[in-house]
Amino acid sequence: KADPNRLDEDWNIDDLYNGMAFNSSGDREDVTAKVLAAIADGDIESLLDSARPSFPLYMNLRAAHVRYRELADAGGWSDVPEGPTLREDDRDPRVVAIRSRLAATGDLPAAGDLSSTLFDADLTDAVVRFQTRHGLDTDGLVGKGTVATLNISAADLADRIRVNLERSRWVMKYDPGDDLVLVNIAAYEVWLVRGFEIFWRARVQVGKPFTRTPVFADAMTYLEFNPTWTVPASIANRSILPKVKQDPGYLAAQDMVLLDNTGSEISYDTIDWDTVSRMPYTVRQNPGSKNALGRVKFMFPNKHAVYLHDTPSRGNFGRSARAFSSGCIRVENPLELAAHLLDDQPKWSREHIDAVLESGKRTTVRLTEPLPVFLLYWTAFVRPGGPINFRKDLYDRDATVLTELEGPIHLHARHEQREWAN
């Protein structure tokens, strides 16, 4: 119902696929004929079923929406009172409310004694399950953050699922092929999908709220081992220049060089940095242990200059919220991903990859076939065989989609903007 082209200027998936939709039956006359035939046959439900995405990820999310709507219609759950952090072996009246809340969503088996005030091992396990589903630190403790998440209403969670069903429809009407890379920005996670199954996944770091990772799609065409990093001008002015003005030796310490507009290297100690207000040269970081892109980057050339890459900043992968980058996607286990992407090229065994990395030589490897890459934003999703997962709305994108879903209907034809009454 909501048109992603109107909501997001970076949305390019419709243009990429250019009408190659799974559920598109052809031109307007063909679609109209099918609708009229369904009306004549009295079989509207089959028509709707044929238009609805049939992927398991979508159907599982749809089933979760039904469940949470039922919970909301039944009154949802009572809030857990605020108070000191609770942990295993504590005894507190608030534990009863926690048990009731976790039983409502199946995190705690309802067969137990829901009136017990003891925070026992079973309740710890239930809290960890809940924290895992909501992308929280899985410490088993019920502190301020976990209480706030427990107290999100069933109606609000149902709306969150509804928003992400719409986001799924934007994408799942297209055939991306058997293999693709999918980054869920809101979940800080990357999937390598093969044959519509999640073949591999890893944690990622994404853009900070003020340097957001954009939502778009493109095709990965090559990998680069031992990459150089050409520092974007915005980062050079915002982050590099102040450090250079304070200590010109910063560039050498970070294995960075300055290049003029011909690509020639400029010595940093020939510049009077006190007179510089904007970085006058291109800053490039050489391959090595200090390189911000790490040992490998995965390239799908795009106007945003956004890509997947390794990082020397490994510690942040252990955090539940991982918005630390300037827009690119830092991958936790990038060499595993590289090995998977090159496993159809016998030369590029893991041993050969390690040898190339050891050489320190910048090396480009083209993929056998371009690989679709989707950078998406889902705050509710269901992994195969798993429960519903929710994530914080990192970039505050959900409300706009929900407003569209609750507003009047717009036809999305590029040259037609008729509005229908709700």
Side-chain angles (χ1 to χ4, degrees):
K1 182 180 177 182
D3 182 1
N5 295 286
R6 290 200 305 119
L7 299 182
D8 188 347
E9 63 181 11
D10 293 327
W11 184 265
N12 69 335
I13 295 175
D14 295 334
D15 291 331
L16 279 179
Y17 280 90
N18 193 25
M20 298 190 306
F22 263 147
N23 300 317
S24 174
S25 302
D27 58 25
R28 182 184 298 270
E29 289 74 19
D30 187 30
V31 173
T32 302
K34 289 191 174 186
V35 172
L36 292 175
I39 293 172
D41 295 340
D43 194 10
I44 302 299
E45 188 62 33
S46 294
L47 178 70
L48 296 178
D49 283 340
S50 70
R52 185 177 291 125
S54 59
F55 296 100
L57 290 174
Y58 180 84
M59 300 306 293
N60 292 339
L61 193 60
R62 190 165 176 257
H65 184 237
V66 171
R67 171 64 178 147
Y68 276 77
R69 283 289 297 272
E70 290 173 345
L71 287 169
D73 291 344
W77 43 73
S78 300
D79 282 355
V80 174
E82 296 182 0
T85 296
L86 295 173
R87 52 179 48 82
E88 193 169 327
D89 294 330
D90 283 351
R91 192 177 288 276
D92 190 289
R94 297 165 60 220
V95 170
V96 176
I98 296 170
R99 288 182 177 278
S100 176
R101 167 63 183 87
L102 293 176
T105 48
D107 298 289
L108 178 69
D113 182 6
L114 298 184
S115 65
S116 173
T117 61
L118 176 64
F119 198 129
D120 58 17
D122 288 342
L123 186 57
T124 297
D125 291 342
V127 170
V128 169
R129 280 191 287 271
F130 175 85
Q131 291 171 330
T132 300
R133 292 195 306 109
H134 289 262
L136 304 173
D137 290 331
T138 53
D139 53 16
L141 308 179
V142 181
K144 185 177 180 180
T146 297
V147 168
T149 307
L150 286 165
N151 290 341
I152 298 173
S153 71
D156 285 345
L157 292 177
D159 279 342
R160 191 177 303 179
I161 299 172
R162 181 183 172 200
V163 164
N164 287 279
L165 280 167
E166 178 72 353
R167 289 184 174 129
S168 301
R169 288 189 287 270
W170 295 343
V171 177
M172 291 183 181
K173 62 183 178 178
Y174 297 123
D175 179 4
D178 291 339
D179 299 350
L180 60 96
V181 170
L182 188 153
V183 175
N184 184 351
I185 299 166
Y188 311 106
E189 194 167 272
V190 58
W191 298 351
L192 174 59
V193 177
R194 288 184 168 171
F196 299 109
E197 298 288 339
I198 299 174
F199 178 79
W200 175 89
R201 64 187 175 97
R203 292 179 287 193
V204 300
Q205 300 174 34
V206 302
K208 303 167 189 173
F210 56 88
T211 54
R212 299 181 178 190
T213 299
V215 173
F216 72 101
D218 221 303
M220 186 186 301
T221 53
Y222 68 94
L223 282 59
E224 190 172 298
F225 294 109
N226 300 317
T228 59
W229 179 41
T230 300
V231 182
S234 59
I235 298 176
N237 286 302
R238 183 178 67 245
S239 300
I240 305 296
L241 182 57
K243 296 173 182 175
V244 174
K245 290 169 75 72
Q246 185 176 11
D247 175 18
Y250 173 83
L251 292 170
Q254 297 300 315
D255 204 9
M256 292 178 172
V257 296
L258 299 176
L259 305 175
D260 64 17
N261 56 12
T262 69
S264 300
E265 190 169 330
I266 302 295
S267 178
Y268 68 85
D269 56 9
T270 62
I271 300 169
D272 182 1
W273 291 104
D274 290 335
T275 65
V276 175
S277 59
R278 291 186 62 80
M279 180 61 75
Y281 302 107
T282 297
V283 181
R284 188 183 69 196
Q285 190 174 39
N286 294 323
S289 60
K290 296 179 180 179
N291 190 283
L293 305 184
R295 298 162 294 175
V296 60
K297 65 178 180 179
F298 305 85
M299 296 302 293
F300 40 104
N302 57 82
K303 69 178 183 179
H304 309 285
V306 164
Y307 41 87
L308 279 68
H309 64 85
D310 186 16
T311 176
S313 304
R314 313 301 302 172
N316 287 331
F317 285 113
R319 302 181 61 171
S320 56
R322 297 186 291 276
F324 300 112
S325 83
S326 295
C328 285
I329 301 99
R330 304 169 181 169
V331 182
E332 182 177 23
N333 299 310
L335 296 181
E336 290 182 8
L337 178 58
H340 289 314
L341 296 181
L342 299 177
D343 61 8
D344 63 341
Q345 301 186 47
K347 172 184 175 181
W348 287 98
S349 65
R350 184 58 188 267
E351 291 74 20
H352 185 63
I353 290 174
D354 290 341
V356 169
L357 293 172
E358 184 66 23
S359 74
K361 182 181 177 181
R362 183 181 179 187
T363 304
T364 298
V365 188
R366 300 200 68 83
L367 300 182
T368 305
E369 297 288 342
L371 181 67
V373 177
F374 290 83
L375 308 188
L376 303 177
Y377 188 90
W378 289 343
T379 54
F381 58 95
V382 183
R383 296 192 186 100
I388 178 72
N389 280 255
F390 297 99
R391 294 295 183 267
K392 182 180 178 182
D393 185 9
L394 171 66
Y395 297 157
D396 298 322
R397 298 177 68 108
D398 283 3
T400 303
V401 179
L402 185 60
T403 297
E404 289 288 305
L405 290 173
E406 293 180 342
I409 297 170
H410 299 272
L411 294 183
H412 297 162
R414 289 296 176 95
H415 303 293
E416 183 177 12
Q417 288 295 324
R418 294 171 59 192
E419 184 174 298
W420 294 67
N422 223 353

